[in-house]
Amino acid sequence: MLEFCIQQNRSSLLFFAYKFIRDETVCEEIVADSFFKLWQHRARMTDLGHIQYFLFKTTKNACLNHLEKEKSSPFVYHGLEGIDQQDDRNIQFDMIYAEFIQLLYAELDKLPTQQAQIFRLSYLEGYSTEEICTLINTTANNVFYAKSKVLSHLRQRFGRNDMLLALFLAPYLFQHL
Amino acid sequence: MTVPRDIAYLIFHHFQGDLTDLEQNELQTWLNSDPQHRVFFEQLAENSGWEHDLAIWHRLNNTSKKSQDDQMLLTKVMEKVQAMEEPVQTRKVSALWWYAAAAILLCCFSIYFIVQQRQSDKKGQTLAYKNTEDIKPGKSGARLTLADGTVIALKSDDQGIQMGEEIQYVNGDRLATTDLTNTKIADNTLLTLEVPVKNFYKIILSDGTQVWVNSGSKLHYPLRFEKNNRVVELEGEAYFEVAKLTSNNAVRGAKPTRIPFLVKTKGQLLEVLGTKFNVTAYPNIKTTKTTLLEGKVAVSAAGYPSKSVLLTPGKQSSFDGNAFQIKEVDVDQAIAWKDGLFYFDGEDAKEAFEQLGKWYDIDIQYIGKEPRVAFFGTIERNKSLKSVVEILQKSGVKLRLERKADRTCLMIEGE
C-alpha cells in the first residue's frame, strides 16, 4: 500500500515541496518524512483522496516549518498563493496544480523523439540554439524546424484555446522566432 | 466527491478541447460550486508560469528513473519506520552468549533436579492436598454461535473445525446439528467460537489461517473473509498461523499486494501479512501480550495508529492500554499451551501457573512476596491436577491445594 502511494504521489509532492524550498535534498527529506507520517497514521486513512490530502498537508506544514527555521534562506517561494493562507482549499488547489503540471509534462512525451529532445533542451533546460546544435550534432535549421513542429503539435493538442497557447509559448516565440 | 487528480484531468483536457459533454458538465459543476474554484481556474488559464514549473518538474522527476526513485524513497521510509522501533527494542546480544547461557543453565538444572529428587525421596511425600478431589485436565471443546443466535456444541476433536463452502470438522465429519443446512449464513456475518474454561479448540478460517483458541476465550470471525479484508476479533488467548494471501486485482503497474490480516483485541490493533504469533488479551487482565514467532507484525493502540510498534521474531510486546513495552522472550513458553504443555521457566513461573489455573479452572494464590519458583521444565497438560502438583512438589516447589468456598485453590509459597 505504501509503495502504491509513493508511486502515485512522490513526483507531485516533490514538485510541491520544491515550490517552497529550492533545495532538492531538503525536499526529498521532507517528502520521505511525509510518507513516514502516512505510515504512522495509516489506520486512519479512509481513501486515496484522503491519503493525497494528508500527504500534501503534511508536506506543506513541514516546508513552512523549515522556512520558519531558516528565515534567512534566499529560496523562499512567493508563488500562486500567499504562504500564510493555510486553508484546505489552497491545499486542494495545490494538488490540482501539481497534477496539472504532471499531465502537461506527460504531454511532451507524446512528441516525436528528436523534437521532444530539442524542446526539452531549449525550453526546459535553457540551452541556446547554438548549444543545441553542438549537443545533438545538427544544424540551426533543423533546430528551428523541430521547434516549429513542436509548436504545431501543441497547437493541435490545445486546439481551440489558441490564446492560451500563445500565452504559454510567448516567451519562447519572442526569443527564438 | 471529485478528487484533485480528476479536476486536473478535466482542466487539462478542457484546454486541449477534447472533453466529452459529460466531462464538460462535470467541470462546470465544479467551477460553479465555489467562486474560488473559478478564480483558481482563471488564474491557471492566464498563468504564464507553466514553462517555469515544467522546467522544475523536469529537473525533479526523471521519467526514466521513476520506478527506481520510487523504490529508493520506499527504502528510506521503511528505514525511518525501523529507526522509530529501535529505541524500544532490547539490545541485541550475540547468539554465542545465548548458547553459552543455555548450556550453563542446562547443567545447573540437571544438578538441581537430581539433588531435589534425592531430598524429596528421603523426606518422603509432603501432603499435597487436603480434602480435595482430583481434578481432571481440560480437553478440546467449544461452542459455535451463528449470527442468528443458534448455538452449536462442537465435539471434542483435536483437529478442530474448518470454514469452507460449509462448516465442517477437519476430519471430514459433518456438524451434528441437522438444521444447519437450511440455515443460510451470509458470508460476512460474524460467527463466534467460544471456548469455555478448561477447553481449547482449533479452527481453520476461510483463508486457510489456522487459529488455536485457548481456554476461556472467544474468537469472532466471518464465515468467509471479503476479498481484500481479513479481520477477526479476539477476547482471550489464541495462537495464529496466518496464511499469506496476495491480492490478484493489483492496480495497473503496481506489484500484487499482500492482503493484511487484522486481529482486534481490547485496546489493541494488530496487523500482519502472514506469520505466526500468539496474542493474550483476557478481558480481566489489563495487559495485552503479543509474541511473535515468525515474520513481522505491527501492533498499535486502537484509535492511535501513531503508537504503533513493529515486532520481530522472538519479541513480545506488552500493552497496558497506554504504552508498549518490548522484550525478548522464550517463544516456546508463550505457545507451550498450544502443544499441550505447561512450561516452567524458573522465576518466570507466574505465567505457567496462570495457564495452569485456567486449564483446571482453579484459583491461584501466592503466599509471600514474588512467586520465585526454581523449576525449569515442561509438564504435559493431559495429566490430572494431582499429578501435576506432585511433579512440581517433587521438584522442590512449595505448593498445596486447598478448598475455599466451593473453589479449589492452589497455594504457592514464594522462596
Side-chain angles (χ1 to χ4, degrees):
Chain A
M1 190 60 201
L2 183 63
E3 196 176 351
F4 177 72
C5 293
I6 286 177
Q7 282 161 3
Q8 292 285 304
N9 295 298
R10 185 186 57 83
S11 304
S12 52
L13 271 180
L14 198 58
F15 169 77
F16 178 58
Y18 195 80
K19 302 270 287 173
F20 289 104
I21 299 162
R22 293 294 159 96
D23 181 333
E24 221 177 307
T25 324
V26 174
C27 290
E28 277 170 3
E29 205 49 53
I30 285 178
V31 169
D33 237 14
S34 298
F35 280 107
F36 170 63
K37 284 182 181 125
L38 174 72
W39 188 86
Q40 287 181 305
H41 294 266
R42 64 200 182 285
R44 242 188 277 174
M45 296 298 136
T46 50
D47 53 51
L48 289 178
H50 186 196
I51 287 173
Q52 193 185 19
Y53 177 80
F54 177 88
L55 287 170
F56 270 75
K57 182 98 180 162
T58 312
T59 301
K60 183 172 181 172
N61 287 344
C63 287
L64 294 179
N65 284 341
H66 181 86
L67 290 178
E68 191 65 34
K69 258 188 263 167
E70 309 197 353
K71 270 245 163 84
S72 56
S73 168
F75 303 117
V76 180
Y77 171 74
H78 302 285
L80 272 178
E81 39 125 4
I83 276 177
D84 42 348
Q85 288 175 288
Q86 276 199 54
D87 62 80
D88 295 354
R89 203 155 46 189
N90 282 336
I91 294 267
Q92 199 202 2
F93 292 152
D94 290 332
M95 291 191 282
I96 296 172
Y97 187 70
E99 296 285 352
F100 180 80
I101 294 295
Q102 183 166 17
L103 287 170
L104 199 58
Y105 185 72
E107 187 63 28
L108 295 180
D109 278 343
K110 292 180 185 151
L111 296 169
T113 328
Q114 206 199 20
Q115 288 174 17
Q117 196 185 5
I118 290 174
F119 185 79
R120 283 219 176 90
L121 286 171
S122 80
Y123 198 53
L124 302 179
E125 288 170 17
Y127 285 97
S128 69
T129 304
E130 292 71 33
E131 284 169 323
I132 294 170
C133 291
T134 334
L135 271 172
I136 60 171
N137 193 22
T138 184
T139 61
N141 265 344
N142 276 345
V143 173
F144 285 126
Y145 177 72
K147 282 176 173 176
S148 64
K149 272 298 211 193
V150 171
L151 279 185
S152 67
H153 177 84
L154 287 177
R155 189 169 285 130
Q156 263 174 18
R157 286 275 158 189
F158 280 80
R160 291 189 295 228
N161 215 315
D162 281 346
M163 201 191 74
L164 187 73
L165 182 72
L167 278 169
F168 174 33
L169 294 171
Y172 169 75
L173 286 168
F174 288 130
Q175 251 178 297
H176 298 291
L177 286 181
Chain B
M1 170 50 200
T2 344
V3 297
R5 188 157 295 161
D6 296 340
I7 303 291
Y9 173 91
L10 291 174
I11 295 175
F12 182 77
H13 287 277
H14 171 77
F15 289 159
Q16 284 212 23
D18 57 4
L19 281 187
T20 65
D21 289 348
L22 199 71
E23 287 169 331
Q24 194 69 52
N25 276 340
E26 224 177 302
L27 180 61
Q28 285 308 324
T29 313
W30 185 77
L31 289 174
N32 293 335
S33 65
D34 187 332
Q36 287 292 320
H37 288 176
R38 195 166 284 281
V39 172
F40 167 77
F41 175 77
E42 274 156 16
Q43 270 181 3
L44 190 59
E46 286 162 17
N47 197 303
S48 53
W50 290 0
E51 81 279 88
H52 187 57
D53 286 335
L54 270 178
I56 290 180
W57 188 280
H58 177 69
R59 184 159 56 244
L60 296 173
N61 296 300
N62 189 334
T63 317
S64 61
K65 283 211 317 46
K66 184 177 183 317
S67 59
Q68 206 180 325
D69 289 344
D70 285 347
Q71 208 55 47
M72 267 171 60
L73 178 59
L74 182 65
T75 315
K76 205 169 178 179
V77 174
M78 287 329 286
E79 274 166 11
K80 280 174 188 280
V81 170
Q82 300 284 358
M84 181 192 64
E85 320 303 352
E86 210 56 53
V88 283
Q89 287 183 5
T90 48
R91 194 166 49 92
K92 276 245 166 79
V93 181
S94 149
L96 204 62
W97 285 107
W98 284 115
Y99 291 134
I104 293 166
L105 203 65
L106 199 66
C107 289
C108 296
F109 168 51
S110 311
I111 294 163
Y112 181 81
F113 208 93
I114 292 162
V115 171
Q116 283 296 336
Q117 199 81 17
R118 286 201 180 153
Q119 278 181 350
S120 55
D121 282 352
K122 273 184 209 159
K123 278 193 245 164
Q125 293 267 340
T126 45
L127 196 58
Y129 28 85
K130 295 171 184 165
N131 312 321
T132 52
E133 66 211 74
D134 197 6
I135 295 176
K136 291 210 156 46
K139 59 180 171 49
S140 103
R143 285 190 296 267
L144 186 64
T145 310
L146 308 181
D148 62 355
T150 314
V151 178
I152 304 164
L154 299 172
K155 67 173 184 175
S156 183
D157 184 332
D158 286 351
Q159 287 179 293
I161 51 165
Q162 186 170 21
M163 304 296 116
E165 280 310 300
E166 55 179 315
I167 306 170
Q168 59 176 29
Y169 290 101
V170 173
N171 67 13
D173 289 357
R174 310 276 307 255
L175 291 189
T177 321
T178 43
D179 57 357
L180 186 61
T181 41
N182 303 328
T183 323
K184 191 84 181 148
I185 311 171
D187 283 1
N188 57 356
T189 54
L190 284 184
L191 310 182
T192 301
L193 183 76
E194 189 182 347
V195 178
V197 187
K198 293 192 69 176
N199 283 263
F200 70 92
Y201 217 75
K202 189 187 162 187
I203 177 171
I204 302 177
L205 302 176
S206 66
D207 63 339
T209 293
Q210 302 183 64
V211 190
W212 286 257
V213 186
N214 204 356
S215 157
S217 306
K218 280 182 193 171
L219 181 74
H220 309 280
Y221 64 94
L223 177 61
R224 275 179 283 278
F225 287 115
E226 286 166 38
K227 215 173 176 187
N228 289 316
N229 190 14
R230 300 189 286 173
V231 187
V232 299
E233 217 171 313
L234 173 72
E235 298 166 55
E237 178 165 34
Y239 168 72
F240 292 83
E241 289 190 3
V242 174
K244 291 188 175 80
L245 271 196
T246 311
S247 73
N248 40 15
N249 56 344
V251 191
R252 168 184 58 91
K255 279 186 201 156
T257 46
R258 290 271 185 77
I259 301 169
F261 187 97
L262 290 133
V263 182
K264 285 185 188 172
T265 51
K266 67 172 159 87
Q268 181 183 283
L269 188 69
L270 178 151
E271 185 175 356
V272 299
L273 294 170
T275 151
K276 297 177 181 174
F277 59 94
N278 192 73
V279 182
T280 315
Y282 282 100
N284 56 341
I285 298 171
K286 199 182 167 198
T287 313
T288 299
K289 282 184 181 163
T290 310
T291 315
L292 183 65
L293 282 83
E294 253 181 56
K296 261 180 189 172
V297 308
V299 284
S300 57
Y304 297 94
S306 57
K307 279 191 186 177
S308 98
V309 170
L310 200 70
L311 291 183
T312 48
K315 295 281 194 321
Q316 182 181 69
S317 70
S318 305
F319 179 61
D320 60 4
N322 256 321
F324 284 96
Q325 289 201 320
I326 310 242
K327 61 174 180 179
E328 196 123 9
V329 293
D330 183 349
V331 291
D332 289 339
Q333 177 177 32
I335 61 150
W337 65 268
K338 169 219 151 205
D339 300 319
L341 298 169
F342 295 117
Y343 190 106
F344 287 88
D345 180 19
E347 294 181 15
D348 245 357
K350 204 168 173 176
E351 304 248 332
F353 282 120
E354 270 165 25
Q355 294 274 349
L356 205 137
K358 269 184 222 105
W359 189 238
Y360 295 99
D361 192 20
I362 56 169
D363 298 328
I364 306 287
Q365 271 192 19
Y366 301 102
I367 304 165
K369 293 177 205 163
E370 289 291 295
R372 287 170 63 85
V373 176
F375 177 72
F376 298 82
T378 56
I379 301 174
E380 285 174 14
R381 299 213 303 184
N382 58 10
K383 295 183 186 318
S384 74
L385 178 59
K386 271 181 187 169
S387 330
V388 172
V389 169
E390 273 168 24
I391 292 170
L392 286 168
Q393 282 183 328
K394 276 187 183 169
S395 320
V397 181
K398 288 176 190 155
L399 75 179
R400 61 177 191 276
L401 288 167
E402 273 180 21
R403 198 79 188 149
K404 281 186 177 176
D406 282 353
R407 296 275 298 168
T408 302
C409 185
L410 183 65
M411 317 288 287
I412 302 153
E413 281 181 45
E415 292 197 345

